[in-house]
């Protein structure tokens, strides 16, 4: 979803510099061209070789390592679609606010005329310094997006506000800053994810291998496209949108019913159990003398089918997890469920589907159309699904 975009990542000399490796990895995984520029101090916290390998580009540190006629601070500034400086120290923040250009990073920042995002990270007393506060105010007034540091235990042993914000938050801000197609602005998108948990007794339950990643990717992409997102999930996740934590299929159905009427798009990426235990034991079941134990199961409601039967304006997208005859089974399922689209994926493979970072799907629509999405990260697949269905 970031292909054809060049992201300039500025790293300064803070202990959180190592976290930017994950950010670069995510940008690359989603197709971006990543250029990294470091202050000399940054290399005390992360090596040039690591950054070079992750970005698959040269890492720039000092000015006048000129390889072409244009000075690097100009060519790098011209080439990038967006610049994100993370972590940003008080020193670099203050230099940029004052127009000081005494190294390659501050020179680029001085020449940069497009969207700039700064994620400060420093000791809490430095963050509260009036001079730093004033420089932050100046940068905000110039249209620089500041991702506020978080509060908590700091590397320097203090407790307070100054810790670099989450990498997810930086990633989402960059995607939004790239004006990623805001086609879902004003729309409410409800997504389910994760495997439901059907209790047997206080200790045991029936579930499945769904990690929730496909649903998380859809929620993140929908957010980046401007949607109001509600994620109904059985998994733990922190995210910049509403999360409704559920456990069983019945819990999930109840949560969906509360969000359905006001939703525009519903995406059922969760792996919902078709059956639950008829009688959940209030106490831990003791091992009997018999060699066998029989559990009596009863059917769970088909949530997706129920939503399709009561829909008014909503676009309803189901998923289809098959281990064989993917297309035939999916064609039968989309008719049986009555959804607008069905996303079919082969869960017999270990490189896609349950728990994996990647997926490969076929999008079926209710008019018989089919669109195959080649194997890619779930983030890329999520974005392509949203682009295809709405
Ligand atoms: O979570 P990950 O680890 O990233 O894995 C992603 C995934 C493989 C779980 C995901 O891509 C996927 O396929 N999700 C749907 C899994 C599933 O339950 O498929 P199904 O064919 O059994 O169900 C078909 C559809 O009906 C699904 O949209 C499901 O949410 C829905 N359903 C199923 C049973 C039920 N009682 N009610 C339902 O609404």
């Amino acid at each position: 979803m970031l292909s054809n975009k060049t992201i300039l990542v500025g790293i300064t000399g803070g202990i959180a510099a190592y976290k930017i490796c994950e950010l670069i990895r995510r940008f690359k995984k989603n197709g971006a061209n990543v250029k990294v520029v470091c202050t000399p101090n940054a290399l005390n916290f992360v090596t040039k070789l690591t950054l070079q390998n992750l970005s698959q580009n040269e890492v720039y540190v000092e000015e006048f390592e000129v390889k072409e006629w244009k000075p690097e601070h100009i060519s790098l500034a011209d080439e990038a679609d967006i610049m994100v400086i993370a972590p940003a120290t008080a020193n670099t923040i203050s230099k940029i606010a004052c127009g000081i250009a005494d190294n390659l990073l501050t020179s680029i920042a001085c020449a940069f005329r497009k969207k700039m995002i700064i994620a400060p990270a420093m000791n809490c007393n430095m963050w509260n310094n009036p001079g730093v506060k004033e420089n932050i105010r100046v940068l905000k007034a110039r249209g620089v997006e500041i991702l506020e540091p978080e509060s908590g235990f700091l590397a320097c042993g203090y407790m307070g506000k100054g810790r670099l914000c989450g990498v997810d938050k930086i990633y989402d801000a960059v995607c939004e800053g790239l004006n990623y197609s805001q086609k879902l602005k004003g729309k409410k998108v409800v997504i389910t994810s994760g495997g439901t948990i059907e209790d047997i007794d206080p200790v045991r339950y029936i579930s499945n291998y769904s990690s929730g990643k496909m649903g998380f990717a859809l929620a993140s992409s929908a957010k980046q496209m401007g949607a109001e997102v509600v994620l109904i999930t059985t998994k733990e996740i922190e995210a910049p949108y509403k999360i409704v934590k559920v456990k069983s299929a019945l819990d999930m159905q109840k949560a969906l019913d509360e969000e359905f009427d006001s939703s525009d798009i519903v995406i059922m990426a969760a792996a919902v159990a078709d059956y639950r235990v008829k009688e959940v034991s209030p106490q831990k079941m003791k091992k009997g003398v018999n060699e066998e134990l029989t559990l009596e199961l009863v059917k769970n409601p088909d949530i997706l089918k129920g939503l399709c039967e009561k829909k008014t304006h909503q676009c309803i997208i189901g998923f289809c997890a098959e281990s064989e005859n993917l297309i035939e089974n999916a064609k039968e399922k989309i008719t049986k469920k009555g959804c607008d689209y069905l996303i079919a994926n082969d869960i017999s493979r270990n490189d896609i589907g349950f728990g994996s970072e990647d997926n490969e799907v076929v999008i079926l629509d209710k008019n018989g159309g089919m669109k195959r999405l080649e194997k890619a990260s779930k983030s890329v697949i999520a974005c392509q699904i949203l682009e295809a269905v709405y």
Side-chain angles (χ1 to χ4, degrees):
M1 63 182 271
L2 297 176
S3 45
N4 311 321
K5 298 291 182 186
T6 295
I7 301 172
L8 185 55
V9 178
I11 305 176
T12 68
I15 185 77
Y18 76 93
K19 295 182 179 179
I20 308 310
C21 296
E22 172 56 22
L23 182 66
I24 295 169
R25 192 185 68 80
R26 274 190 74 178
F27 285 149
K28 288 299 292 178
K29 201 174 195 186
N30 286 282
N33 173 31
V34 178
K35 293 277 179 101
V36 178
V37 57
C38 296
T39 61
N41 277 343
L43 299 182
N44 294 325
F45 298 94
V46 60
T47 67
K48 197 171 174 179
L49 182 62
T50 300
L51 296 170
Q52 215 149 285
N53 286 339
L54 285 168
S55 64
Q56 295 169 334
N57 272 318
E58 184 161 354
V59 172
Y60 300 86
V61 184
E62 278 310 326
E63 206 158 358
F64 312 118
E65 291 166 6
V66 178
K67 302 284 181 296
E68 52 189 48
W69 66 275
K70 261 175 117 178
E72 280 166 343
H73 65 295
I74 300 303
S75 57
L76 284 167
D78 289 351
E79 180 192 351
D81 295 298
I82 194 166
M83 181 173 191
V84 54
I85 303 174
T89 57
N91 181 37
T92 294
I93 288 169
S94 301
K95 286 178 181 175
I96 295 172
C98 301
I100 293 172
D102 65 348
N103 61 40
L104 185 54
L105 191 151
T106 52
S107 301
I108 293 170
C110 193
F112 201 71
R113 291 293 167 266
K114 287 162 262 185
K115 173 86 176 177
M116 185 185 293
I117 297 172
I118 289 181
M122 62 194 78
N123 169 274
C124 47
N125 292 335
M126 294 175 78
W127 175 249
N128 292 321
N129 175 287
V132 171
K133 287 282 177 218
E134 174 58 14
N135 289 324
I136 290 288
R137 188 196 62 75
V138 165
L139 290 173
K140 282 182 177 175
R142 290 179 194 157
V144 173
E145 184 175 354
I146 303 291
L147 300 180
E148 294 276 316
E150 293 174 349
S151 297
F153 184 73
L154 306 177
C156 49
Y158 281 70
M159 283 294 283
K161 187 170 183 177
R163 192 167 64 194
L164 180 72
C165 66
V167 165
D168 282 350
K169 188 171 178 183
I170 302 173
Y171 177 83
D172 287 346
V174 169
C175 289
E176 281 177 15
L178 287 169
N179 272 327
Y180 193 79
S181 82
Q182 295 295 296
K183 63 184 287 188
L184 296 180
K185 208 155 195 62
K187 300 297 178 189
K188 177 177 173 182
V189 180
V190 179
I191 294 158
T192 65
S193 92
T196 60
I197 296 168
E198 311 297 334
D199 281 339
I200 296 171
D201 64 19
V203 172
R204 306 169 182 94
Y205 60 79
I206 299 170
S207 189
N208 56 62
Y209 293 110
S210 172
S211 64
K213 289 176 184 171
M214 189 70 246
F216 300 160
L218 284 158
S220 181
S221 295
K223 175 88 172 70
Q224 279 143 24
M225 291 181 179
E228 175 199 348
V229 173
V230 178
L231 176 70
I232 299 172
T233 181
T234 60
K235 301 296 182 181
E236 289 301 330
I237 180 177
E238 284 185 15
Y241 44 74
K242 182 179 176 184
I243 292 169
V244 179
K245 184 76 167 27
V246 296
K247 209 172 144 186
S248 68
L250 293 178
D251 296 341
M252 186 170 278
Q253 182 182 44
K254 184 167 177 289
L256 274 161
D257 287 345
E258 286 165 16
E259 301 289 348
F260 186 66
D261 291 346
S262 59
S263 65
D264 297 292
I265 302 173
V266 177
I267 308 177
M268 289 291 287
V272 183
D274 288 321
Y275 291 88
R276 65 179 185 276
V277 173
K278 185 174 183 180
E279 299 288 333
V280 177
S281 168
Q283 304 304 329
K284 179 187 173 187
M285 292 164 71
K286 295 300 178 200
K287 192 163 59 179
V289 294
N290 300 333
E291 285 305 306
E292 291 179 354
L293 171 71
T294 302
L295 280 179
E296 193 175 355
L297 304 181
V298 293
K299 262 196 171 183
N300 272 325
D302 185 332
I303 302 172
L304 175 61
K305 192 166 187 288
L307 295 177
C308 294
E309 285 166 352
K310 68 177 187 178
K311 67 172 260 184
T312 51
H313 63 286
Q314 294 86 350
C315 171
I316 300 185
I317 301 154
F319 268 73
C320 172
E322 299 294 338
S323 54
E324 59 178 355
N325 308 322
L326 182 67
I327 301 301
E328 296 84 323
N329 288 331
K331 281 181 178 172
E332 187 185 327
K333 199 165 277 189
I334 191 169
T335 307
K336 200 171 81 177
K337 304 270 186 177
C339 38
D340 298 291
Y341 294 89
L342 194 72
I343 314 297
N345 51 185
D346 175 354
I347 43 93
S348 67
R349 289 171 45 183
N350 56 21
D351 62 328
I352 62 169
F354 283 127
S356 63
E357 293 302 317
D358 300 330
N359 212 350
E360 180 182 302
V361 305
V362 179
I363 303 175
L364 286 79
D365 67 51
K366 61 188 175 186
N367 304 316
M370 277 200 297
K371 179 182 169 74
R372 182 179 294 280
L373 299 184
E374 297 306 320
K375 181 180 169 182
S377 72
K378 283 179 176 172
S379 296
V380 171
I381 293 289
C383 201
Q384 289 173 320
I385 289 172
L386 290 169
E387 287 292 352
V389 302
Y390 208 78

